[in-house]
């Protein structure tokens, strides 16, 4: 009997272990060999095979009730935000009534509980006669907000909406010809026919994954947790698939080519040591002929509206630390130095110490910014994640300089880093929230957006921007939802998930590493679960998924085999569980194993420079009890760079129970809509929005105790904004600043009086014409001004740039502003629409103290002003404004 029990007991305990969750929440459960989410299950049949019955419910329950808008030239310019057309589709074929452009259609019909049949046809018709009449009589049509669309700039009419193939992505409508309406018979009625709930839009994944490639050249991982082993092996295989024939990284299955930020974040996570040669080649693909890092295309023509290219520096240094390649270090040092030196002129804010530019990786304007923010506003904003990147880039450059014995560079770039760090902690730290603010934004008076920004929060912990107390608070207090940490929190209303209302596994990976650094076991385990769940259920490392339900299908764009997602998955084994960290001259270990994952695990064939390590580890916690190399104890748990050959490493953890730590687990939440404000004889006005319990009025960035009156008589320069607040105290974005001031505070200078007047036939300019500036025409423009009263002035320019759309290409014009030959700042003239040369707007403003009297203001094209295109750096300039603001 004893022999029978001795045989049965281990097997019984093994079965019991498999049936016990290693992670459990209301949303899903993870067991040793499977993930269970309601009726869906992913099961690891072995370490090299996973099956999943996951099917996205997105197409099964598409409502017949549609909300949509029309768009001229791919802009949100038909009706006010929050005002849409509503139509209920009956049957599998329907047609809207003729909708008058600018007049909301409200379909009162209802068919409760019905869903769109597959392949439903919908004909949409819109009356554009009023728009066309404006073109014929005045040469332009005036939109609801007063903007003029000139006949010459009319490129097409599109439909945007929330039901595929419609999307709310206005900026990319021009790239979706099926969403364009056309007037084939010239009667002023534009129309198109859409196929709703189309077969091609169904979102499905494979039913099984089975290893099909030889992954033996890479580190082999095994543990007592089959689901993690299988997800790891799947990620290694996808890593192999992510290498193009030219030995560069492919960003994702649906994302061809090399992207600066994607490869850089991936290299930092794990590609620096797993595929160093591919990493180097990919990084060099993102360097131009002037040896500057290339900024990915983005808002307003990329650089300098977007400045997160500097994450390249951190990736390049990670490659050096993993390989010890001094030639690579020297090459990278020059590239990083050139790029930072340009940024110091184009993007550094001397007033705050921080750096301007779009959120790092959150490069889709309406997904993370209020709609009123134009590319120039985004250029002027100062984002948490982007500033964390620039801080670390300067620190890395200082460290490179130290290795290369460049004393002057050590001092210079460390000082830069310290200024950025001080600015982040002064302007973005929110003591009451216990984490950092999303960004600092506005025009001549800036405020903070109190949303959290997950990647930025994690980087501030990992890079040491936050002090020890702040680091603990950030991990404890930053909001985390049921399926993971969302890119931003709370969400923006009316924006389809992508960056908004979404979880990105690579961001979760950085959050996991930051949580491990802080010893927060609850946050580490939650993060590992949030990474394993989607990989197992979807049988691939997806780009993102919807925060509300964890589904991959509801985001605007999603890719399988996503490089930074798979890189993060691999980093969870190497850099988190085993705690591998690369230093300039050694590799050190600081493992973190949650108690739920206790036991034995191995990592064989791990390559470090000229050594190959076969690593065994057992236990749990984050304290090493013993560290043996080839059976001999080694202090400080480190491997020197001089080690060569094959070696065994044995790590015994102390099974230390970590202090109880909490996380801020919250329901996903959407903030109120952004106010649109105006002014009348009684003061500031705004539209009423459901769910708004109160509001705050700001004057020059400061909150007022009461709503101001008699603003039409405002004499000094003032900027007013309104913030909506809901019943739970959650704030909206602030409205667009409403600038009020006496006319005697502003001077306008027509540019055609100071340089050659352009003969181009563009419309909408003020005065008698405009002038062209480019890298070959009017490289220097001097303007004589006469300042009547000394003070602080804001200088900006009215301009047009039709060299590309608002969201892609790379032809933002850049110029240096000098006053009496002294550097004053940089002006950005972002793209405003493809061939929309009669679409005028204002550049960012540069604030400067001016003395009384005559002075020379110079707009010049200087070496640092070269953009990412390198060939086209052009804008039309109408006038210059000089406004006394203080």
């Amino acid at each position: 009997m004893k022999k029978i029990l001795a045989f049965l007991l281990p097997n019984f305990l093994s079965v019991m272990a498999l049936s016990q969750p290693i992670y459990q929440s209301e949303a899903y459960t993870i067991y040793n060999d499977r993930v269970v989410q309601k009726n869906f299950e992913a099961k690891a049949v072995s370490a090299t095979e996973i099956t999943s019955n996951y099917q996205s419910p997105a197409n099964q329950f598409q409502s017949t009730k549609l909300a949509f808008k029309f768009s001229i030239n791919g802009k949100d310019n038909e009706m006010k935000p929050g005002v849409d057309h509503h139509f209920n589709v009956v049957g599998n074929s329907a047609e809207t009534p003729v909708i008058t452009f600018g007049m909301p259609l409200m379909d009162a019909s209802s068919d409760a509980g019905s869903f769109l049949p597959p392949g439903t046809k919908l004909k949409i018709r819109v009356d554009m006669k009023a728009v066309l009449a404006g073109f014929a009589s005045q040469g332009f049509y005036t939109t609801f907000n007063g903007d003029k669309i000139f006949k010459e700039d009319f490129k097409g009419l599109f439909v945007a909406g929330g039901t595929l193939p419609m999307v709310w992505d206005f900026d990319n409508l021009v790239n979706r010809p099926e969403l364009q309406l056309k007037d084939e018979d010239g009667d002023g009625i534009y129309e198109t026919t859409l196929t709703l709930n189309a077969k091609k839009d169904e979102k499905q994944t494979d039913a099984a994954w089975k290893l099909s490639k030889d992954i033996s050249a890479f580190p082999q991982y095994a543990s007592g947790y089959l689901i993690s082993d299988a997800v790891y092996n799947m990620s290694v295989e996808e890593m192999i698939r992510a290498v193009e024939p030219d030995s560069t990284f492919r960003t994702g299955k649906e994302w061809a080519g090399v992207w600066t930020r994607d490869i850089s974040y991936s290299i930092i996570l794990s590609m620096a040591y797993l595929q160093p040669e591919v990493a180097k080649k990919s990084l060099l693909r993102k360097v131009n002929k002037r040896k500057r890092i290339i900024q990915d295309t983005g808002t307003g023509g990329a650089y300098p509206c977007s400045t997160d290219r500097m994450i390249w520096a951190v990736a390049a240094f990670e490659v050096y630390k993993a390989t010890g390649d001094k030639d690579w270090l020297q090459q990278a040092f020059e590239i990083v130095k050139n790029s930072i030196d340009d940024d110091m002129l184009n993007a550094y804010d001397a007033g705050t110490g921080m750096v301007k530019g779009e959120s790092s990786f959150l490069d889709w304007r309406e997904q993370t910014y209020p709609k009123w923010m134009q590319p120039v506003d985004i250029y002027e904003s100062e984002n948490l994640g982007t500033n964390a990147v620039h801080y670390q880039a300067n620190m890395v450059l200082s460290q490179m300089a130290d290795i290369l014995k460049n004393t002057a560079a050590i001092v210079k770039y460390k000082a830069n880093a310290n200024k950025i760090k001080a600015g982040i902690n002064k302007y973005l730290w929110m003591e009451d929230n216990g984490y950092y603010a999303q960004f600092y934004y506005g025009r001549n008076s800036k405020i903070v957006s109190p949303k959290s920004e997950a990647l930025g929060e994690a980087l501030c912990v990992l890079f040491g921007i936050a002090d020890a107390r702040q680091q603990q608070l950030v991990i404890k207090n930053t909001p985390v939802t049921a399926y993971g940490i969302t890119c931003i929190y709370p969400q923006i209303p009316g924006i389809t998930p992508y960056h908004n209302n979404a979880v990105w596994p690579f961001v979760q990976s950085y959050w996991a590493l930051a949580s491990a650094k802080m010893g927060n076991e609850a946050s580490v385990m939650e993060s590992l679960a949030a990474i394993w769940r989607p990989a197992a259920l979807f049988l691939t490392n997806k780009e993102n998924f919807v925060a509300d339900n964890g589904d991959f299908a509801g985001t605007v764009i999603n890719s399988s085999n996503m490089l930074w997602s798979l890189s993060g998955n691999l980093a969870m084994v190497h850099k988190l569980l085993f705690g591998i960290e690369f230093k300039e001259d050694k590799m050190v270990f600081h493992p973190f194993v949650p108690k739920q994952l206790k036991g034995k695990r191995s990592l064989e064939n791990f390559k470090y420079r000229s050594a190959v390590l076969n690593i065994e580890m057992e236990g749990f916690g984050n304290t090493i009890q013993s560290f043996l190399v080839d059976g001999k104890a080694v202090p400080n748990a480190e491997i020197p760079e001089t080690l060569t050959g094959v070696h065994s490493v044995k790590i015994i953890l102390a099974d230390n129970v970590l202090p109880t730590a909490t996380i801020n687990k919250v329901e996903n939440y959407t903030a109120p809509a952004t106010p649109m404000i105006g002014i009348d004889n009684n003061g500031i006005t705004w539209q009423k929005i459901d769910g708004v319990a109160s509001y705050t009025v700001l004057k020059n960035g400061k909150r007022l105790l009461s709503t101001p009156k008699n603003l039409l008589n405002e004499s000094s320069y003032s900027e007013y904004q309104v913030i909506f607040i809901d019943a739970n105290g959650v704030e909206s974005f602030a409205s667009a600043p409403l600038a009020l001031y006496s006319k005697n505070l502003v001077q306008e200078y027509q540019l055609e009086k100071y340089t050659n007047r352009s003969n181009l036939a563009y419309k909408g300019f003020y005065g008698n014409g405009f002038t062209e500036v480019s890298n070959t025409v009017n490289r220097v423009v001097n303007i004589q001004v006469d300042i009547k009263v000394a003070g602080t002035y804001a200088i900006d320019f009215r301009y047009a740039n039709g060299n590309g759309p608002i969201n892609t290409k790379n032809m933002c014009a850049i110029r240096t502003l000098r006053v009496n030959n002294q550097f004053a700042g940089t002006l950005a003239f972002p793209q405003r629409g493809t061939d929309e040369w009669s679409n005028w707007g204002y550049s960012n403003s540069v604030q400067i103290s001016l003395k009384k009297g005559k002075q020379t203001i110079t707009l010049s094209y200087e070496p640092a002003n070269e953009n990412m295109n390198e060939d086209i750096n052009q804008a039309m300039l109408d006038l210059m404004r000089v406004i006394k603001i203080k």
Side-chain angles (χ1 to χ4, degrees), residues 751 753-755 780-784 818 856-859:
L751 268 296
K753 295 181 179 179
Y754 296 90
T755 188
V780 178
V781 179
N782 290 309
I783 306 154
Q784 301 298 319
R818 294 184 177 275
T856 301
I857 295 178
T858 302
L859 192 69

Side-chain angles (χ1 to χ4, degrees), residues 342 345-346 379 779-781 797 813-819 821-829 846 857-866 873:
D342 282 357
L345 295 171
N346 291 328
Y379 164 62
R779 289 170 63 97
V780 178
V781 179
F797 289 76
I814 313 169
R815 294 295 181 275
T816 294
L817 186 74
R818 294 184 177 275
V819 177
N821 207 33
Q822 297 297 309
F823 178 83
T826 299
L827 289 161
F829 305 97
V846 173
I857 295 178
T858 302
L859 192 69
S860 62
Y861 179 63
E862 302 185 6
N865 300 144
E866 193 160 308
N873 196 318

Side-chain angles (χ1 to χ4, degrees), residues 253-270:
K253 184 178 179 181
E254 283 76 31
W255 288 109
V258 182
W259 292 65
T260 303
R261 65 178 67 90
D262 295 64
I263 59 162
S264 297
Y265 282 115
S266 302
I267 288 166
I268 295 163
L269 284 166
S270 56

Side-chain angles (χ1 to χ4, degrees), residues 521 593-595 598-599 618-623 653-657:
E521 187 175 35
V593 179
K595 190 174 183 180
K598 64 183 179 181
E618 60 181 81
F620 66 87
N622 65 348
T623 300
L653 298 178
D655 290 350
N656 59 302
V657 177

Side-chain angles (χ1 to χ4, degrees), residues 43-63:
K43 183 177 178 63
V45 179
S46 70
T48 58
E49 184 176 0
I50 309 171
T51 61
S52 175
N53 66 354
Y54 187 83
Q55 291 293 316
S56 169
N59 283 72
Q60 300 173 28
F61 306 107
Q62 286 200 35
S63 173

Side-chain angles (χ1 to χ4, degrees), residues 483 497 501 546-550 668-669:
Y483 293 97
N501 193 19
V546 180
D548 285 332
N549 58 15
N668 199 19
Y669 198 87

Side-chain angles (χ1 to χ4, degrees), residues 35 115 147 152-153 180 223 238 243 250 302 309 320 372 488 518 531 623 683 742 749-750 755 789 831 870:
V35 175
F115 302 104
D147 289 344
E152 291 81 1
D153 284 350
Q180 184 171 3
S223 72
E238 290 200 323
V243 179
R250 182 182 180 90
R309 62 179 180 155
Y320 168 72
W372 61 262
I488 61 170
M518 289 299 96
I531 292 165
T623 300
S742 171
Y749 297 85
Q750 295 292 334
T755 188
V789 180
Q831 299 157 187
E870 298 186 273

Side-chain angles (χ1 to χ4, degrees), residues 37 134 160 212 225 227 245 278 352 390 496 502 510 586 606 632 636 697 708-709 766 802 869:
Q37 181 180 315
S212 60
Y225 301 91
I227 193 70
V278 179
T352 63
H390 278 266
T496 306
Y510 279 99
K586 60 190 172 185
F606 190 92
K632 297 181 180 179
N636 303 320
V697 178
K709 305 292 183 181
Y766 296 161
N869 182 270

